[in-house]
Amino acid sequence: MKNISRFLIAAAIMAIAAMLIAGCGGSNGSSEFPGGGTGGYSDVSGTVSDINRNTITDATVWSDSDSAKTTKSLASGAYKLLRVESGWRNIKAKTKINGKTWVGSTAALVLKNEPTMNINITLSPLTAVTTISGVVKDDDGSRVSGARVLFTMRTVYPADQTRADDGSYGSIVAITNNQGQYTLKDVPVGVTGIVAASKVGFFNREYEIDTVNTDEIVNFTLVPASYTKLPYTPSLEYIESYTAPSSVSVASVDGNSDMQAYKAIKAMVSPRFNKAVPGKSVKTKMASTPAGSLIEIDLYWNAFSDNDSREVAGYGIYRTETSTSELRAIDFIRDPYANFYGDMGSEITPNQPYYYAVTAVDVVYLDSYGNFEDGAESDLSNVLNVRPLGQMSITSPNNITVSQNPIFSWNKLTNAAKYRVLVFDKFPAYSIVPIIDRYETGYTYSYTGSALKSGGKYYWVVLASDSSGRAFSYSKIYNFDVQ
């Protein structure tokens, strides 16, 4: 991978910052970037999960700017909400789990006519959430508007014990109004976490809460920061890619929920889902492919390896399509605790390699003229790559009656190294174990095990994976009867 000078890196990420400053003012006087304004729209994307990073499927997601316009989280927990009005918005989600309502929300700066990504939402039971509120002032006692207040459930201290698979996928965020007031909503009760106030040019101020109680009040005094050294260089540790049918958000098999099935299936193959990755994080890309499927690329990086989180404003995300071309900035994540990135641009296509890197950005990244501060960004991390697969498809059996020893067949998928055939005697759910779990390198499997039950209904799916074991593709879920 060709090296890039720090000057070019700064120029690239400044383009992202300039887009935020010029293209998106806040609403109700609460913007961190005054002088912009609304009037545009953006597609907002991210991941819905619980506090332990278990992704939540089939959650309803909407913006406070238009509650009638909703979307659903997919098998990986990813969602994409189309044409959200630009400006500061509360992005909300809810679902039913075992008959109980779960809710979550976070504030997001929705860009103007540009994709807004990595807006991750943490859900908790409605009966077990509260608010954290307070006032943010500077060291002169003046109230600070447009500051970000974040609540993270990550382990931040000591730094050598921090992990990317700790806590939820993203912080819960609120923005202070003109009076410096904020309210963090839908914060889970009983958890340990850090609540922090952050604004460009100030050190992040952090308070640890051992146990979140009802209606917590936390006030902040921010101290101006001066640039002293380059931020540490993060370590990009893992990358995965998932391709799933675009129809997985629809209950299409016997009235059952595809969402729960794909959640169960992903739990069998995903190191991220099962928290098997020993550390750290960037995040996800979901996009429409020519085959009508959805692609998600997950990146994981190591944060706080040798640097104080109070000096980090956020992270620059970089991508390119070839190993010899220069990496370009695609996003700037304004969250010092971010370690999982949601990149859901529509340009991602199957069988095309994508190379990623990440940088850390100092809290003093703008000078007094609003220009990017020289040296405020670290060097690029190491580079990891993945090549997403296309859409996996099944040929037979599909809603037919077969013998007690059926033959399963599917279509060859470019760049797939092996295929995993999963057959269930009940519609797949998280706790249901497949009765057939078979790896094949060809495109057909003749079942020769114990005869399937006569008169029974079965469900099956094929998962393709590449030779690296980091790119996966799901087929749709099909059913068949046994004669």
Side-chain angles (χ1 to χ4, degrees), residues 422-428 432-436 452-453 456-460 480:
L422 298 170
V423 181
F424 302 84
D425 58 1
K426 301 180 182 64
F427 191 81
I432 295 177
V433 177
I435 62 169
I436 299 174
L452 300 182
K453 182 180 178 181
K457 179 179 285 292
Y458 295 85
Y459 305 87
W460 74 296
F480 62 90

Side-chain angles (χ1 to χ4, degrees), residues 28-55:
N28 302 321
S30 64
S31 176
E32 182 177 0
F33 307 107
T38 58
Y41 294 88
S42 173
D43 294 346
V44 177
S45 58
T47 294
V48 182
S49 66
D50 66 14
I51 63 174
N52 297 313
R53 288 200 172 191
N54 295 310
T55 53

